[in-house]
């Protein structure tokens, strides 16, 4: 009888063989002392390799790793590929109005910087300045500001509607939140874009609202489409505890007020 | 295993939440280090690989498909980072030192486990390490993912950019080489 090959024995020892080969190897090894010895050696080799001592890392190792990578994280996500804009990675499903949001990201940094950094000399530079191609001429600037405000106002309106619908759902048996969930998924992507844009700029109220929204939108987006009344009430409590609807409404109103002020200024200049 | 909490944290991290990503780093760093250490064979390289792995994971996270667990996915990234790191540098030459091998094995076989035997255990481990160091990066990575991480051949092949037959062969070569290196130490 031909001996088993070393390859067969290794694959057998690693449990990487099909049933037929397995049976053949087993039958042969049973009868052949030489192959039995080879198999034992292979198994011992595998055991020794598995027993290799690995230096221990303490409970705080994760924190150490985090400290060493934290400052490099943003470059790691934005430098991938050749697209400077986040829109390159967005799912196609979301594209139509998210594309608008993504476009806004490029100008929003310029807007907030231009608008708010003039008076506050100590304000930190927003990281987005690097992405803003060049400082646009005055007229374009005003148009961009209006685009940004309109998009933000729209975003806040949609978010408010979604939250209001959710909060006003009647818990009785299971609550179907599939519509709100779908909205939340889309809003989440947009919210992230706006957050990135407004992130380093000097608008604490707006930044804060966008930041507060994120975990809640996430939770809605990741909820099952039908909630038990307990689950639903937990979710609703979380939204209400942060006074989110109120904050979103107030911020939205503020954005629209700025939008109107800008339009008046534009009319008086022309 | 991916539990409900991890799914939630993962979704947050994908959406760009850094605190969520930090939680994932906390949860997985030690396991990633073990894979990195097995493939690179030394602590400093393993540390570099761990950092590289999480930076890469952060960038790739939006594309992560939860077909496999996050841990499995991270370990494959780590294996690839380790291969890249090892390939970038000239191959280390390792001196083989076979003296005393046979007597050592005889003493290892004896039942008492005194300090002498512990010293012998250290030597055996050193030999395993040397044997591992003699493998190519690809062999080490494929072997580690298969034997120590129990990942399926097809998944390893995909992760390492090989076809499954090539992966099987890498694993076989790894085991065959180590078997020869350790043979003098084996009790027969
Ligand atoms: Zn045989």
């Amino acid at each position: 009888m031909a001996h088993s090959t070393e390859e067969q024995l290794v694959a057998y020892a690693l449990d990487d063989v099909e049933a037929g080969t397995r049976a053949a190897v087993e039958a042969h090894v049973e009868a052949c002392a030489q192959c039995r010895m080879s198999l034992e050696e292979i198994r011992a080799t595998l055991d020794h390799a598995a027993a290799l001592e690995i230096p221990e890392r303490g409970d705080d190792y994760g924190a150490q790793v985090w400290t060493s990578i934290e400052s490099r994280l943003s470059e790691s996500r934005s430098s991938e590929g050749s697209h400077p804009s986040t829109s390159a990675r967005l799912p196609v499903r979301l594209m139509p109005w998210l594309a608008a949001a993504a476009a806004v990201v490029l100008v929003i940094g310029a807007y907030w910087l231009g608008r708010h950094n003039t008076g506050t000399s100590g304000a930190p530079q927003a990281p987005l300045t690097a992405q803003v191609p060049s400082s646009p001429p005055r007229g374009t600037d005003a148009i961009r500001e209006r685009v940004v405000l309109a998009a933000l106002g729209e975003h806040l309106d949609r978010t408010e509607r979604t939250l209001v619908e959710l909060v006003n759902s009647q818990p009785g048996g299971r609550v179907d939140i599939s519509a709100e969930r779908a909205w939340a998924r889309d809003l989440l992507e947009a919210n992230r874009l706006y957050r990135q844009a407004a992130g380093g700029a000097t608008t604490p109220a707006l930044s804060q609202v966008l930041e507060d929204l994120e975990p809640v939108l996430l939770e809605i987006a990741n909820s099952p489409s039908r909630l038990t009344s307990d689950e639903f009430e937990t979710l609703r409590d979380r939204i209400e505890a942060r006074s989110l609807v109120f904050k979103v409404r107030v911020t939205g109103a503020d954005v629209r007020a700025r939008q109107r002020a800008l339009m008046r200024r534009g009319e008086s200049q022309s | 295993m991916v539990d409900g909490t991890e799914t939630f944290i993962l979704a947050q991290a994908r959406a760009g939440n850094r605190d969520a990503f930090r939680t994932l780093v906390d949860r997985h760093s030690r396991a990633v280090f073990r894979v990195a250490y097995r493939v690179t064979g030394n602590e400093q390289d393993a540390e570099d690989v761990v950092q590289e792995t999480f930076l890469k994971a952060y960038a790739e996270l939006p594309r992560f498909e939860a077909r496999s667990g996050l841990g499995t996915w991270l370990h494959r990234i780590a294996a690839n980072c380790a291969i890249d790191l090892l390939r970038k540098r000239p191959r280390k030459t390792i001196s083989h030192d076979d003296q005393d091998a046979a007597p050592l094995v005889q003493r290892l076989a004896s039942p008492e486990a005194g300090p002498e035997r512990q010293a012998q255990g250290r030597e055996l481990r050193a030999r395993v390490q040397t044997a591992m160091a003699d493998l190519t990066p690809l062999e080490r990575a494929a072997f580690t993912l298969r034997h120590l991480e129990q990942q399926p051949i097809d998944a390893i092949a995909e992760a390492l950019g090989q076809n499954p037959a090539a992966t099987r062969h890498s694993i076989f070569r790894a085991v065959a080489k180590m078997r020869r290196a350790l043979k003098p130490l084996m009790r027969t």
Side-chain angles (χ1 to χ4, degrees):
Chain A
M1 192 183 351
H3 291 298
S4 299
T5 63
E6 190 179 15
E7 239 161 330
Q8 283 173 334
L9 292 172
V10 167
Y12 175 79
L14 285 169
D15 202 17
D16 278 332
V17 286
E18 285 163 12
T21 315
R22 185 197 315 271
V25 169
E26 268 164 12
H28 179 79
V29 165
E30 183 80 14
C32 172
Q34 190 187 327
C35 287
R36 196 157 57 237
M37 204 170 75
S38 293
L39 182 60
E40 270 167 30
E41 268 183 29
I42 289 165
R43 283 187 167 143
T45 302
L46 293 175
D47 288 348
H48 285 312
L52 182 73
E53 210 165 276
I54 297 178
E56 264 303 309
R57 285 298 177 263
D59 288 339
D60 61 340
Y61 183 57
Q64 287 172 31
V65 172
W66 177 256
T67 306
S68 57
I69 63 170
E70 190 184 4
S71 63
R72 286 183 284 160
L73 278 184
S74 49
E75 58 184 289
S76 137
R77 212 175 248 192
S78 62
S79 66
E80 85 185 279
S82 56
H83 301 280
S85 157
T86 329
S87 63
R89 288 195 310 276
L90 295 176
V92 176
R93 179 176 69 85
L94 298 172
M95 280 316 282
W97 67 278
L98 268 185
V104 164
V105 164
L106 285 175
V107 295
I108 197 169
Y111 164 68
W112 292 117
L113 280 177
R115 187 177 176 86
H116 296 276
N117 276 11
T118 42
T120 46
S121 55
Q125 282 289 327
L128 267 160
T129 36
Q131 288 184 24
V132 178
S134 62
S135 122
R138 281 264 156 239
T140 318
D141 203 18
I143 293 167
R144 282 185 173 184
E145 286 189 19
R146 286 213 295 260
V147 170
V148 168
L149 288 173
L152 261 176
E154 173 104 338
H155 173 64
L156 292 169
D157 279 350
R158 286 169 191 272
T159 306
E160 190 196 333
R161 277 204 300 276
T162 302
L163 294 178
V164 165
E165 269 163 39
L166 195 68
V167 169
N168 290 336
S169 303
Q170 290 303 315
R174 286 190 168 257
V175 185
D176 185 346
I177 62 157
S178 48
E180 288 86 356
R181 192 177 66 157
W183 271 113
R185 283 180 179 166
D186 288 3
L187 288 169
L188 192 59
E189 290 286 348
N191 204 64
R192 185 159 68 83
L193 289 174
Y194 289 123
R195 266 191 74 191
Q196 284 173 354
T202 54
T203 52
L206 179 62
S207 299
Q208 191 59 53
V209 164
L210 295 176
E211 196 179 321
D212 288 349
L213 274 173
E214 190 138 323
V216 172
L217 290 174
L218 254 167
E219 190 168 351
I220 302 169
N222 289 312
S223 294
S225 56
R226 295 173 67 78
L227 299 181
T228 65
S229 49
D230 277 356
E231 287 168 335
F232 173 75
E233 261 156 33
T234 308
L235 181 60
R236 189 172 61 183
D237 288 348
R238 205 155 299 170
I239 296 170
E240 283 175 348
R242 300 179 197 206
S243 315
L244 266 184
V245 174
F246 175 73
K247 285 185 194 163
V248 170
R249 189 173 294 152
V250 168
T251 314
D254 182 45
V255 165
R256 278 189 296 276
R258 290 179 192 190
Q259 207 180 343
R260 280 194 300 275
L262 193 65
M263 286 174 82
R264 277 198 302 277
R265 209 172 66 194
E267 280 156 12
S268 67
Q269 273 170 7
S270 59
Chain B
M1 273 276 95
V2 177
D3 56 28
T5 320
E6 176 130 329
T7 309
F8 181 70
I9 295 169
L10 183 59
Q12 292 215 349
R14 283 165 74 127
N17 182 330
R18 281 183 171 227
D19 288 338
F21 189 71
R22 181 182 188 156
T23 308
L24 297 178
V25 172
D26 256 341
R27 284 187 174 196
H28 292 277
S29 279
R30 285 163 58 148
V32 169
F33 175 81
R34 284 195 288 275
V35 173
Y37 183 81
R38 283 190 183 279
V39 182
T40 60
N42 81 77
E43 294 193 56
Q44 190 48 56
D45 286 346
E47 294 286 0
D48 290 348
V49 166
V50 170
Q51 293 180 22
E52 203 51 42
T53 299
F54 282 108
L55 288 171
K56 211 167 188 167
Y58 185 73
E60 299 283 325
L61 205 51
R63 280 192 290 274
F64 167 64
E65 296 163 21
R67 276 181 307 172
S68 56
L70 184 72
T72 307
W73 182 68
L74 287 170
H75 297 177
R76 285 181 207 152
I77 295 179
N80 269 306
C81 288
I83 291 174
D84 290 346
L85 183 129
L86 294 174
R87 278 180 178 163
K88 265 186 233 154
R89 69 176 51 149
R91 191 120 190 261
K92 283 182 216 147
T93 46
I94 289 136
S95 61
H96 290 275
D97 178 17
D98 281 316
Q99 60 186 0
D100 295 337
L104 171 68
V105 171
Q106 281 151 23
R107 278 172 294 163
L108 271 174
S110 67
E112 76 276 355
E116 197 187 353
R117 173 136 186 215
Q118 285 170 15
Q120 291 151 10
R122 276 200 295 278
E123 186 171 339
L124 178 64
R125 285 195 293 275
R127 271 172 190 279
V128 173
Q129 213 147 10
T130 308
M132 287 281 279
D134 255 2
L135 308 179
T136 67
L138 204 57
E139 286 163 1
R140 292 177 68 117
F143 174 72
T144 298
L145 291 178
R146 178 69 201 116
H147 180 47
L148 304 155
E149 298 285 311
Q150 311 285 328
Q151 296 202 20
I153 296 273
D154 286 353
I156 300 168
E158 192 189 327
L160 300 179
Q162 291 182 304
N163 63 53
T167 298
R168 277 202 179 80
H169 201 64
S170 294
I171 295 168
F172 165 70
R173 277 199 313 272
V175 178
K177 281 184 191 175
M178 281 192 290
R179 179 186 172 193
R180 312 243 179 295
L182 296 179
K183 197 177 172 75
L185 290 160
M186 301 236 189
R187 193 161 57 94
T188 49

